[in-house]
């Protein structure tokens, strides 16, 4: 099945926080289209022990097909530019590695809203 949504995520080496984030978004809505999602994650080499990068990659692969970027030097702007150069799905969902969602959301309904209103270029969750 083709990728419908590319999730872009910037991260630092914090495996437990990453797991909590992916778990919350997966359980509350992304599991409905898991086979149509690709996670593009940039893991900057800062945070916990650098040896835990492999654990970060393993955690991501538990949820989605994953393309990981492992730069030698941390840089948020370069991470964003690199990820967005890789994106090729019709929809992008940007997610930070330390976000949490507590309620259900319907990503397909969000896509329908974008399609129904062509002048609308993005949606966001309120705090």
């Amino acid at each position: 099945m083709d990728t419908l949504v590319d999730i872009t995520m910037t991260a630092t080496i914090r495996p437990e926080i990453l797991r909590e984030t992916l778990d919350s978004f997966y359980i509350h809505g992304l599991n409905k289209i898991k086979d149509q999602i690709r996670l593009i994650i940039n893991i900057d080499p800062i945070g916990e022990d650098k040896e835990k990068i492999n654990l970060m990659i393993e955690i991501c692969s538990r949820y989605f097909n994953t393309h990981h970027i492992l730069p030698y030097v941390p840089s948020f702007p370069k991470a964003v530019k690199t990820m967005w150069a890789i994106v090729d799905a019709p929809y992008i969902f940007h997610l930070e590695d330390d976000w949490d969602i507590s309620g259900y959301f319907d990503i397909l309904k969000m896509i329908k809203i974008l399609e129904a209103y062509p002048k609308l270029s993005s949606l966001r969750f309120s705090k």
Side-chain angles (χ1 to χ4, degrees), residues 20-104:
E20 289 175 15
T21 296
L22 290 176
D23 201 48
S24 74
F25 279 86
Y26 185 82
I27 288 169
H28 289 101
L30 294 178
N31 61 338
K32 305 291 185 204
I33 62 165
K34 66 181 180 183
D35 295 331
Q36 297 175 61
I37 293 176
R38 174 176 61 161
L39 172 63
I40 302 170
I41 183 168
N42 184 97
I43 306 170
D44 276 343
I46 56 174
E48 295 180 23
D49 182 359
K50 290 183 184 174
E51 299 299 316
K52 292 187 178 180
I53 287 178
N54 287 334
L55 178 57
M56 299 276 291
I57 295 167
E58 179 186 320
I59 289 168
C60 293
S61 67
R62 291 177 195 164
Y63 297 91
F64 308 111
N65 177 28
T66 304
H67 179 98
H68 55 274
I69 303 157
L70 307 172
Y72 291 108
V73 178
S75 171
F76 179 80
K78 286 183 183 177
V80 171
K81 287 176 71 174
T82 302
M83 289 185 306
W84 281 64
I86 295 169
V87 165
D88 63 6
Y91 298 96
I92 300 167
F93 185 85
H94 183 76
L95 182 60
E96 291 293 326
D97 69 335
D98 59 357
W99 289 356
D100 183 53
I101 192 160
S102 57
Y104 174 78

